[in-house]
Amino acid sequence: MSPTPPETALPDDAARDASAARPRVVIAEDEALIRLDLAEMLEEEGYDVVGQAADGLEAVELATSLEPDLVMMDVKMPRLDGIAAATRIAGQRIAPVVMLTAFSQRELVERARESGAMAYLVKPFTASDLVPAIEMARSRFAELAALEAEVEDLSDQLATRKVVERAKAQLQAALGLSEPEAFGWIQRTAMDLRMSMRTVAERVVEHGVDGSTRGDAGELPE
């Protein structure tokens, strides 16, 4: 009887695909214990922590080299503060940034928004706070990419973003949609009617949801 050949471990395609589908995250936090706790929390929630930085410069370097799906950045960081680092990452459109802060002052929140951060979390937070903030940041980053793809001129991009934000708010209030659903409504309507998203948004803002459903281009879908 010929000897039984040694078993060869075959790659688990399903596990590999599942791992590849996990959003890749870089963490930037100067306090090691907090950084480790955050990494553990993210892994448990289905995210793949691919890099950890202890200062702002390292965070920018990791984000640039790894091109993650998300960067989580503490506001208070050595060498380069978190808001300055977020400005660099957002300016290069590398990934959406979620700011972490122990301070809830409006000034810091506004500075974080101006830096290009897509969401923020006030410490201490739980997984129930973490996941919605991450998904909101990723959704807003995708929206920004879609708007920039449609409008090349920077001044027009800003004007388009402003009117789209106003239209989203009206759609959320009138139709009970989430923010991503409201943007999806605008995006689908623009595609269906071969309009720009700015035109659809302007009609929603000017005429309301009901009043905007009819016009020269036809009827906007629900």
Side-chain angles (χ1 to χ4, degrees):
M1 179 181 296
S2 59
T4 303
E7 292 185 1
T8 302
L10 297 177
D12 187 337
D13 291 339
R16 186 172 57 203
D17 291 344
S19 176
R22 289 162 62 95
R24 301 166 65 252
V25 183
V26 164
I27 299 171
E29 165 64 63
D30 62 323
E31 295 188 35
L33 289 178
I34 295 177
R35 191 168 65 245
L36 292 173
D37 286 345
L38 178 56
E40 183 178 351
M41 190 183 300
L42 286 164
E43 294 283 355
E44 289 176 352
E45 293 298 326
Y47 300 93
D48 187 10
V49 178
V50 295
Q52 300 185 35
D55 62 68
L57 282 178
E58 186 182 10
V60 174
E61 292 168 358
L62 284 177
T64 302
S65 62
L66 296 174
E67 297 185 347
D69 299 304
L70 181 87
V71 176
M72 302 204 69
M73 179 88 65
D74 188 37
V75 169
K76 301 292 185 180
M77 298 281 282
R79 297 180 70 196
L80 182 69
D81 76 63
I83 291 177
T87 300
R88 296 188 187 183
I89 293 169
Q92 297 178 57
R93 296 290 184 264
I94 296 172
V97 179
V98 175
M99 300 300 301
L100 308 175
T101 177
F103 310 93
S104 57
Q105 291 97 327
R106 182 172 296 277
E107 179 188 357
L108 279 177
V109 172
E110 290 303 320
R111 284 184 61 206
R113 287 175 178 167
E114 290 170 3
S115 75
M118 297 291 161
Y120 73 95
L121 280 169
V122 177
K123 302 174 187 176
F125 51 82
T126 65
S128 61
D129 304 314
L130 182 68
V131 174
I134 289 175
E135 295 311 311
M136 179 61 68
R138 296 185 68 202
S139 173
R140 287 176 175 170
F141 189 76
E143 289 180 15
L144 182 60
L147 290 174
E148 289 180 346
E150 182 177 281
V151 183
E152 293 185 2
D153 184 81
L154 290 177
S155 60
D156 285 346
Q157 284 179 11
L158 180 59
T160 298
R161 286 176 62 184
K162 287 181 177 178
V163 72
V164 166
E165 288 298 319
R166 292 175 61 192
K168 285 195 305 183
Q170 287 188 226
L171 289 166
Q172 287 177 260
L175 303 180
L177 303 177
S178 66
E179 185 175 336
E181 288 171 341
F183 182 82
W185 189 98
I186 294 170
Q187 194 172 36
R188 288 193 306 273
T189 299
M191 292 175 64
D192 290 344
L193 299 183
R194 295 179 176 83
M195 289 180 172
S196 69
M197 284 187 279
R198 180 172 179 174
T199 299
V200 172
E202 286 173 343
R203 284 176 57 179
V204 171
V205 170
E206 291 171 7
H207 305 293
V209 178
D210 294 334
S212 69
T213 56
R214 293 186 179 279
D216 294 339
E219 187 171 348
L220 299 187
E222 295 182 358

